[in-house]
């Protein structure tokens, strides 16, 4: 879990789905997932203080609600408390990076709230894993979160500035696949990750063809593995070291694109 840098500043880290296997669909319409999730050393920043106002600024503040539709407000209300929150919105949205859920989880961590699983799932399927904010295997509809050991990974996140509606992506999904293997093998994790999937990548690319351009650009910039995160449109590339990731992020700073180098699992050895 990422610690705040001081008593009022809290990081809401970007959530990256390294894998996302869609394994079935329930009678209530929700999909069963099996996903390996990592968190970055960058994200939105919340400044929390006494009060009850919610203010939003930052490069991606436009379009983020400040009323009761905002997950921060809903999470604090579920916890039975109030705080004044200034959200520095640094992540694009919607982007497949769990931004709103991570913001709400950061607010809950800031107030020390201990909501039950049902309350978290009522807020959103990503809330349990975002509250953990640590490498995890997320299963079911998001309610089953188990910690996993992952090494530090050097990544570039790229969003092409296109919103991809999650509903449209799932509507275009054809069939389901098997879950991940139960054991993450020893050795180079990129070899293992390369054999896994994001089952939403193909339908999302059908909705927004620019995703294919982003993946190709990451590969051309030297990524050992490139894949879409979540339901898109943000994609990630994994690189051998921080310098290679930084160089690739600079190369991919195209007009209209958001590209950032980062470290996933920053507390890992």
């Amino acid at each position: 879990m990422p610690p705040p840098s001081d008593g009022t500043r809290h990081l809401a880290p970007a959530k990256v789905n390294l894998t996302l296997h869609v394994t079935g669909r329930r009678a209530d319409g929700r999909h069963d997932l099996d996903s390996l999730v990592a968190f970055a050393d960058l994200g939105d920043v919340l400044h929390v203080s006494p009060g009850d106002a919610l203010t939003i600024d930052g490069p991606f503040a436009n379009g983020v609600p400040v009323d009761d539709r905002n997950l921060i407000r809903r999470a604090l209300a579920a916890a039975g408390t109030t705080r004044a929150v200034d959200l520095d919105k640094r992540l694009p949205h919607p982007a497949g990076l769990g931004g709103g859920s991570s913001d709400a989880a950061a607010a809950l961590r800031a107030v020390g709230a201990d909501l039950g699983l049902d309350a978290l799932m009522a807020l959103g399927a990503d809330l349990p894993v975002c509250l953990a904010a640590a490498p995890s295997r997320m299963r079911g509809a998001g309610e089953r979160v188990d910690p996993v050991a992952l090494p530090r990974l050097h990544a570039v996140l790229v969003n092409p500035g296109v919103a991809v509606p999650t509903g449209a992506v799932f509507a275009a999904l054809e069939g389901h696949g098997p879950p991940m293997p139960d054991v993450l093998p020893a050795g180079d994790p990129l070899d293992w990750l390369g054999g896994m999937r994001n089952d939403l990548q193909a339908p999302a690319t059908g909705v927004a063809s620019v995703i294919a351009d982003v993946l190709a650009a990451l590969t051309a910039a030297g990524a050992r593995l490139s894949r879409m995160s979540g339901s898109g449109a943000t994609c990630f590339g994994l690189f051998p070291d921080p310098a290679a990731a930084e160089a690739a992020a600079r190369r991919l700073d195209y007009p209209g694109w958001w590209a950032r180098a980062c470290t996933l699992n920053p507390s890992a050895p």
Side-chain angles (χ1 to χ4, degrees), residues 243-269:
E246 291 284 356
R250 290 192 296 270
R251 176 175 173 178
L252 296 172
D253 188 21
Y254 299 163
W257 287 21
W258 175 87
R260 295 291 185 276
C262 65
T263 300
L264 304 179
N265 317 317
S267 62

Side-chain angles (χ1 to χ4, degrees), residues 14-67:
K15 172 188 70 71
V16 177
N17 295 89
L18 295 171
T19 69
L20 204 168
H21 296 207
V22 183
T23 60
R25 188 171 186 179
R26 301 180 177 185
D28 62 6
R30 293 186 299 174
H31 288 81
D32 281 310
L33 310 175
D34 191 2
S35 179
L36 189 63
V37 177
F39 288 85
D41 60 353
L42 57 78
D44 297 335
V45 175
L46 282 71
H47 298 266
V48 181
S49 60
D52 62 3
L54 173 62
T55 58
I56 302 175
D57 51 24
F60 292 101
N62 189 41
V64 180
V66 296
D67 57 19

Side-chain angles (χ1 to χ4, degrees), residues 6-207:
D6 57 46
T8 64
R9 181 181 182 277
H10 301 264
L11 178 68
K15 172 188 70 71
V16 177
N17 295 89
L18 295 171
T19 69
L20 204 168
H21 296 207
V22 183
T23 60
R25 188 171 186 179
R26 301 180 177 185
D28 62 6
R30 293 186 299 174
H31 288 81
D32 281 310
L33 310 175
D34 191 2
S35 179
L36 189 63
V37 177
F39 288 85
D41 60 353
L42 57 78
D44 297 335
V45 175
L46 282 71
H47 298 266
V48 181
S49 60
D52 62 3
L54 173 62
T55 58
I56 302 175
D57 51 24
F60 292 101
N62 189 41
V64 180
V66 296
D67 57 19
D68 289 342
R69 292 173 296 166
N70 191 286
L71 271 179
I72 294 173
R73 280 195 176 279
R74 292 167 55 195
L76 291 175
T81 188
T82 59
R83 290 292 192 280
V85 178
D86 178 21
L87 173 62
D88 183 0
K89 191 66 181 171
R90 302 181 181 183
L91 295 178
H93 61 90
L97 296 175
S101 294
S102 191
D103 294 343
L108 291 173
R109 288 194 298 271
V111 301
D114 186 16
L115 295 184
L117 180 59
D118 288 345
L120 290 173
M121 290 295 292
L123 290 167
D126 279 342
L127 257 294
V129 75
C130 285
L131 191 62
S136 302
R137 183 178 183 179
M138 180 178 70
R139 282 176 278 188
E143 74 275 8
R144 183 176 175 185
V145 176
D146 298 300
V148 297
L150 286 177
R152 187 178 301 184
L153 299 172
H154 307 291
V156 174
L157 307 180
V158 180
N159 184 278
V162 174
V164 180
T166 300
V169 173
F170 274 101
L173 179 67
E174 297 181 359
H176 308 110
M180 294 189 301
D182 284 337
V183 178
L184 182 67
D188 189 342
L190 269 67
D191 289 339
W192 183 87
L193 286 169
M196 300 299 108
R197 317 183 305 274
N198 180 343
D199 289 333
L200 299 182
Q201 183 172 300
T205 303
V207 174

